[in-house]
Amino acid sequence: MTDLTALDGATIAFDLDGTLVESAPDLIGAVNAILVAEGYEPLTYDEGRPYISRGARWLLQRSLDIAGEPEPAVRTAALFGRFISYYSEHIADETRPFPGAIDTLKTLKGAGARLVVCTNKPTALSRSLLTRLDMAGFFDGIVGLDAVTAAKPNAAHLIEAVEAVGGDLARTVMIGDADIDAGAARAAGTPLILFSFGYTEVPAAELAPDILLHRYDGVVDACVALLNGQRSTNPSYGTKR
């Protein structure tokens, strides 16, 4: 059995969409509700999924661009409020935690780790989603892009999220799925775990994480290894989902 001592007092920072939860169906559903209302063809699931990591505003703008809108940034500014309103009402229709996420959070929390969500989703939406999924109680803080001086991939997001829960950056691990998570972790100097199954335009394996995971059952061992100083070995734990 893994010695969990290293987790006591450590901070584990999680991205949200594509890392903790499979939220693509509801996000793409909200985008499509707007596109259809505006007379555009809906976005396919495969078209939209990679762009979710950049946040809802970028997802809507990219979707309008794909649909043929000549001024996607302008239309995004005009339509974003409607998008957020629709998404807020349907935020947990189909969104679910990834298999094994709940058990992993219980283990980390039970071992004394501080858990914080570090996401480019707005804080209120993030809190609403996690509350609806009965996951909010696991976290000492939920820090969205509106609660920091600069969002991921800027180091400030991760640094300020760790500070928000009274953590020590030197004893922090970042867990994510995309280039913005990798960028924030590298800029902040923290160990990085990436999942291979999330939302990313660049495959997670190409982002050089310290540890690449394919399943949640490797998270605890990976965090312990990194907190004990095993860095930059880039092993791959588990089989693909």
Side-chain angles (χ1 to χ4, degrees):
M1 182 176 292
T2 302
D3 182 353
L4 304 184
T5 304
L7 292 169
D8 189 16
T11 302
I12 312 299
F14 285 87
D15 173 53
L16 180 54
D17 299 289
T19 297
L20 284 166
V21 298
E22 178 76 274
S23 54
D26 289 328
L27 281 162
I28 294 172
V31 164
N32 284 338
I34 300 302
L35 291 178
V36 171
E38 291 297 302
Y40 291 112
E41 290 294 318
L43 191 71
T44 69
Y45 182 84
D46 289 340
E47 283 176 321
R49 195 177 193 274
Y51 300 112
I52 290 173
S53 66
R54 295 203 193 190
R57 187 177 293 274
W58 173 260
L59 175 63
L60 179 59
Q61 181 172 320
R62 181 66 179 127
S63 301
L64 286 164
D65 187 30
I66 291 172
E69 165 58 45
E71 295 184 308
V74 174
R75 290 304 294 154
T76 295
L79 296 170
F80 193 65
R82 281 170 50 195
F83 167 83
I84 291 296
S85 179
Y86 182 94
Y87 178 59
S88 297
E89 294 178 5
H90 299 274
I91 196 167
D93 286 1
E94 297 182 65
T95 297
R96 297 293 181 269
F98 282 109
I102 298 298
D103 287 342
T104 296
L105 294 173
K106 288 179 179 177
T107 300
L108 293 171
K109 193 74 173 173
R114 293 179 173 91
L115 306 183
V116 62
V117 175
C118 179
T119 175
N120 278 6
K121 202 185 203 80
T123 302
L125 283 177
S126 301
R127 189 175 299 281
S128 173
L129 174 57
L130 290 168
T131 299
R132 292 274 296 275
L133 296 177
D134 294 323
M135 297 174 70
F138 290 112
F139 297 99
D140 299 279
I142 298 170
V143 183
L145 83 170
D146 55 308
V148 292
T149 57
K152 297 182 298 183
N154 195 296
H157 197 156
L158 178 54
I159 292 168
E160 291 168 25
V162 173
E163 291 174 347
V165 297
D168 178 358
L169 194 66
R171 298 195 62 223
T172 294
V173 175
M174 177 73 204
I175 303 179
D177 65 315
D179 56 347
I180 61 170
D181 304 311
R186 293 310 184 208
T190 64
L192 172 67
I193 297 169
L194 290 180
F195 285 120
S196 63
F197 51 75
Y199 310 144
T200 178
E201 298 166 65
V202 179
E206 297 178 14
L207 296 171
D210 292 300
I211 294 178
L212 177 68
L213 294 179
H214 308 298
R215 298 169 60 92
Y216 254 92
D217 56 13
V219 168
V220 174
D221 286 349
C223 287
V224 169
L226 293 173
L227 289 166
N228 282 331
Q230 299 175 30
R231 298 284 302 270
S232 301
T233 53
N234 196 22
S236 180
Y237 289 9
T239 57
K240 291 186 178 181
R241 295 177 69 248

